[in-house]
Amino acid sequence: MSLKKIGIWGNTEKKIFWDIFPKILSWADKNELQPHITKRISCKVSSNFQIINSKNDFNKVDFMLALGGDGTFLSLARIIENNEIPILGVHLGDLGFLAKVTLKDLFYRLDQVVAGDYFVEDRALIKTKIKKGDKHIKYVSLNDFVFANGESFRMLNTSVHVDGHFVGNYKADGLIVATPTGSTAYSLSAGGPIVTPKVDSMIITPTSAHTLTSRPLVVPGNSTITVGFTGQADSIRFVADGQLHEILSPKTRVKIVKSNYTVPLINFADTDYFKTLRVKMGWGKRGNQREN
């Protein structure tokens, strides 16, 4: 497919974004690509651009460039919803799990995209619909949903069912339901397993469990996970992808399933998921051993 239009989404709070932005525009012009930018970017530039004003405007571009970090990528992935627009994540710092491209190889990778030398990797999301008063609020996450006690330093008691079958009561600081993509995020910090993105699954991980028998659990991706709450909590904190927050009643029951659409990530034949683990985490290395 011949690419004609590029969408630009970025963390405008970072100075490095504004340093690289003109260079991307110059590259786009050289490759006869029409840039479409978000309203947040347009507020700080004087030139005339096509503006992404709504979710429907994503359909006007051939691919999105997400400039920032993994958090920037996560926010775009949720907002873009099921528009099926491929995303190339560019990390404005070190290598990220989602924003895989670094500044030093940015234009090399962009040239590959224009040349069609890439593939699209679909990543699963999870979704839920939470009842608050008379409203049902929908949430979708690429990484995870997190539950914690609304009161600081109080233990959270959760009751978990999978496909209607009782799994158990978790007594912990909180509970995480993660995708394979999110298995290397908060879930991993809480002792959860790393699950490669191609494994169709969801991960249930307690945070700082108060019993030694509470362990992370991997369930099939087509499962329905139901989380309820017991004990003396006055309120429950619910967080989607570390960015969206809600306060829930302890009487709330939250059903979580895999979303019916995926997020398409632009990837390259010479990238390696396990190398990213080694570089980011020192995976499988000891002492001062360095990645070649």
Side-chain angles (χ1 to χ4, degrees):
M1 181 183 69
S2 176
L3 302 179
K4 299 296 183 184
K5 300 175 182 179
I6 175 176
I8 302 174
W9 176 280
N11 185 345
T12 58
E13 301 302 314
K14 289 181 176 286
K15 178 182 179 298
I16 188 64
F17 171 84
W18 296 109
D19 292 339
I20 199 68
F21 181 63
K23 298 176 183 178
I24 292 172
L25 296 180
S26 177
W27 172 87
D29 183 61
K30 176 183 175 182
N31 286 276
E32 299 181 346
L33 287 172
Q34 182 185 49
H36 291 234
I37 64 175
T38 63
K39 288 191 291 185
R40 177 173 291 186
I41 299 172
S42 69
C43 290
K44 299 185 179 182
V45 294
S46 57
S47 301
N48 292 323
F49 292 96
Q50 294 292 320
I51 309 300
I52 299 173
N53 286 302
S54 67
K55 293 177 183 179
N56 291 332
D57 287 342
F58 287 115
N59 290 317
K60 298 177 181 179
V61 304
D62 296 313
F63 75 101
M64 289 294 303
L65 190 61
L67 295 150
D70 284 353
T72 303
F73 193 105
L74 288 169
S75 61
L76 174 59
R78 286 196 311 273
I79 290 173
I80 208 168
E81 291 189 338
N82 60 343
N83 283 290
E84 298 183 354
I85 306 301
I87 305 172
L88 179 63
V90 180
H91 209 294
L92 298 184
D94 296 325
L95 181 68
F97 280 105
L98 295 170
K100 296 181 179 181
V101 175
T102 58
L103 287 176
K104 68 179 181 180
D105 61 356
L106 169 58
F107 294 102
Y108 170 71
R109 293 304 192 187
L110 286 174
D111 287 342
Q112 282 187 282
V113 174
V114 170
D117 184 16
Y118 69 95
F119 66 93
V120 172
E121 177 185 351
D122 291 322
R123 293 291 184 96
L125 302 97
I126 50 176
K127 67 178 181 178
T128 188
K129 186 187 293 183
I130 296 175
K131 189 175 188 299
K132 289 201 71 178
D134 297 330
K135 297 180 180 179
H136 283 88
I137 306 173
K138 296 179 181 179
Y139 286 96
V140 176
S141 284
L142 179 57
N143 264 358
D144 51 41
F145 294 138
V146 176
F147 303 90
N149 200 312
E151 300 174 10
S152 299
F153 310 114
R154 294 282 298 273
M155 181 174 65
L156 181 70
N157 294 326
T158 56
S159 175
V160 177
H161 290 72
V162 174
D163 293 332
H165 302 287
F166 178 61
V167 174
N169 293 316
Y170 287 86
K171 296 182 178 181
D173 285 359
L175 188 77
I176 305 164
V177 178
T179 65
T181 298
S183 71
T184 52
Y186 188 19
S187 176
L188 181 63
S189 299
I194 292 178
V195 180
T196 58
K198 292 182 180 180
V199 179
D200 185 15
S201 60
M202 290 185 282
I203 304 104
I204 303 168
T205 306
T207 63
S208 302
H210 290 225
T211 57
L212 294 176
T213 54
S214 293
R215 291 290 182 265
L217 177 66
V218 179
V219 300
N222 62 356
S223 302
T224 297
I225 299 172
T226 304
V227 180
F229 309 99
T230 60
Q232 302 300 315
D234 294 325
S235 60
I236 309 297
R237 282 190 293 121
F238 169 81
V239 186
D241 273 345
Q243 297 177 337
L244 303 178
H245 301 250
E246 284 286 351
I247 297 297
L248 309 180
S249 163
K251 296 180 180 179
T252 305
R253 287 175 64 82
V254 181
K255 289 188 177 182
I256 299 168
V257 297
K258 186 171 67 172
S259 175
N260 54 0
Y261 61 87
T262 57
V263 171
L265 277 65
I266 291 176
N267 211 336
F268 305 94
D270 61 344
T271 59
D272 182 340
Y273 178 81
F274 298 104
K275 181 176 181 180
T276 302
L277 283 180
R278 295 194 302 271
V279 172
K280 286 289 290 183
M281 297 181 173
W283 193 258
K285 295 186 289 185
R286 296 190 304 172
N288 294 322
Q289 191 178 357
R290 297 176 64 87
E291 178 71 28
N292 294 323

